[in-house]
Amino acid sequence: MIAKLNSWIEIPSNSDFSMYNIPFGIFSTATIKHHAATAIGNTLVDLYALSKHNYFKGIVDDSNLFKQAHLNDFIALGKPTTNKIRNRLIELFSLDNKELRSNTAACKEAFRELTSVEMRMPIKVGDYTDFYSSIDHATNMGSMFRDPKNALLPNWKHIPVGYHGRSSSIIVSGTNFHRPKGQVKPADAEVPLFSASNQMDIELEMAFVIGKPTSLGDTITTAAADEYIFGMLLFNDWSARDIQSWEYVPLGPFLGKNFASTLSPWIVTLEALEPFRVDGYKQDPPVLPYLQYSGKKNIDINLEVYLEAPNLAPQKICTSNYKYLYWTMEQQLAHHTVNGCNVNVGDLMASGTISGPEEGSYGSLMELTWKGTKPIKLADGSERKFLQDNDTIIIRGFASKDGIRVGFGECKGKLLPATK
């Protein structure tokens, strides 16, 4: 059982931001350019304001650390320090603690409604890697485009397959973007055409943030990997399937992927997610020694995808779970660094599309509509094979156990028409 935590701050029963969470993010207002914050219930708490009132004295004495555009320098302090800040916040928010509760001036300065602020990119992403770690997703894609009897490529069960993506086009939730353009080659065309993508897709993913750097030549073991992972976020790696299918041979994704990827604004620490660890897949054939691990390394995180069309309420189109990943974060990071590749604070590692074993748990429209042959029906009778202009996708995620909940908020983006 998880120890019961009660707060003097009002927290709705279904809130993602419970006392067990205490995520970290960056916000701005009309008068604040950027401050670090946490969230509890429907309340945003300004960490710069708390620091100015000396609530972190002896842990972090420089208030300016909470006044930066990104969390990178805060994360770089290391888990011994960032965990102390998180635990200090839990202490300050606890029902029987009056330190902050009785300080009217500090509360007035630090507390805001979540809906009254604009959330910013929480980190400056240096490098970004996208993996391909869901066995159901890989099997589905292989079945559609190759041979259902040999859907997985020969290397898939031996290595966490991945590729290096483009960090400059990673955007925070709530940022709209335009339909991408590029080369496409219709099946009945002899030569490629230049066109806006007609097969805009989503990819339900999660990502983790590197919190501890390594030097060139260093490797990270599966046993040590959690020391290097600060926390997790929701991630939507938008995909232009028609551009992707023409360009990906022989070097993989390029213009079909690098136009936009959406990141949720709150980083949920690995420590907050620890109670939700579960067993991973039995990996057969056995993996090489550097990829072997012990203990519960998967995490039970419920994931939901909603499609909001113009003049229609959001409609759930997918219910999945992070635990469906065949390759764990620890294995991903061990493989990423086994050749001596160095990592830096703020690097982002995405899971790849997360699909479950049932049709309703598939994490992309390509799978949900099975290559467009089974369109999704919306409430007004219209259908979707792929996204239409002005469609909005909302991803939500939360872990729940023993009556407690730790969630991620939402990861939201709207597809605008292609530019002329």
Side-chain angles (χ1 to χ4, degrees), residues 207 227 379 409:
E227 300 172 22

Side-chain angles (χ1 to χ4, degrees), residues 59-339:
I59 307 174
V60 175
D61 293 318
D62 183 6
S63 296
N64 288 323
L65 193 69
F66 300 102
K67 202 178 180 180
Q68 298 185 17
H70 301 99
L71 291 169
N72 295 50
D73 287 351
F74 171 70
I75 294 171
L77 293 173
K79 287 197 176 191
T81 299
T82 58
N83 283 340
K84 284 181 181 178
I85 291 292
R86 179 173 174 268
N87 290 333
R88 175 62 170 150
L89 289 167
I90 293 173
E91 180 182 51
L92 290 170
F93 299 156
S94 294
L95 183 61
D96 57 355
N97 190 306
K98 296 183 179 179
E99 285 182 77
L100 179 58
R101 186 180 189 176
S102 62
N103 190 336
T104 305
C107 288
K108 184 177 180 180
E109 187 177 351
F111 286 15
R112 300 170 185 270
E113 286 290 321
L114 272 173
T115 54
S116 71
V117 306
E118 182 178 352
M119 297 305 298
R120 299 288 188 176
M121 274 288 291
I123 54 172
K124 183 174 179 58
V125 181
D127 286 302
Y128 152 55
T129 300
D130 193 24
F131 286 93
Y132 190 50
S133 294
S134 163
I135 191 167
D136 293 294
H137 173 64
T139 301
N140 289 339
M141 298 300 279
S143 297
M144 278 188 278
F145 292 99
R146 290 187 298 275
D147 178 5
K149 295 181 180 179
N150 294 287
L152 297 178
L153 291 170
N155 65 352
W156 200 90
K157 284 192 171 183
H158 294 275
I159 59 173
V161 177
Y163 71 93
H164 294 295
R166 182 73 183 176
S167 61
S168 65
S169 54
I170 297 176
I171 52 180
V172 72
S173 176
T175 306
N176 302 331
F177 66 98
H178 292 276
R179 182 180 293 271
K181 295 177 285 189
Q183 287 194 26
V184 300
K185 187 179 181 299
D188 58 354
E190 293 185 6
V191 294
L193 311 172
F194 179 76
S195 169
S197 171
N198 289 309
Q199 295 183 356
M200 272 298 300
D201 201 355
I202 64 168
E203 289 198 343
L204 167 62
E205 303 194 23
M206 296 197 71
F208 65 87
V209 179
I210 294 297
K212 183 178 176 181
T214 62
S215 298
L216 191 66
D218 290 346
T219 59
I220 299 173
T221 65
T222 56
D226 288 352
E227 300 172 22
Y228 293 82
I229 301 172
F230 177 72
M232 299 182 69
L233 312 95
L234 302 172
F235 194 73
N236 185 350
D237 189 24
W238 307 92
S239 298
R241 298 298 186 188
D242 43 1
I243 296 175
Q244 180 183 357
S245 64
W246 170 239
E247 74 180 359
Y248 83 98
V249 178
L251 295 181
F254 190 35
L255 300 188
K257 294 280 193 177
N258 69 2
F259 56 91
S261 298
T262 301
L263 190 69
S264 58
W266 292 105
I267 305 177
V268 177
T269 65
L270 216 55
E271 287 68 31
L273 295 167
E274 198 61 35
F276 308 100
R277 294 279 191 175
V278 293
D279 289 326
Y281 279 74
K282 179 182 179 181
Q283 296 180 330
D284 184 27
V287 297
L288 292 175
Y290 79 93
L291 289 171
Q292 294 172 6
Y293 67 90
S294 60
K296 298 179 184 295
K297 295 300 181 184
N298 260 13
I299 308 177
D300 185 358
I301 303 172
N302 301 291
L303 298 169
E304 301 172 338
V305 181
Y306 295 80
L307 193 157
E308 181 182 353
N311 302 315
L312 289 178
Q315 178 175 324
K316 187 190 291 188
I317 61 171
C318 167
T319 301
S320 193
N321 197 296
Y322 183 78
K323 68 183 180 182
Y324 293 143
L325 289 185
Y326 186 89
W327 296 103
T328 70
M329 285 186 292
E330 291 78 10
Q331 290 177 307
Q332 291 165 0
L333 190 51
H335 183 65
H336 198 301
T337 62
V338 73
N339 67 341

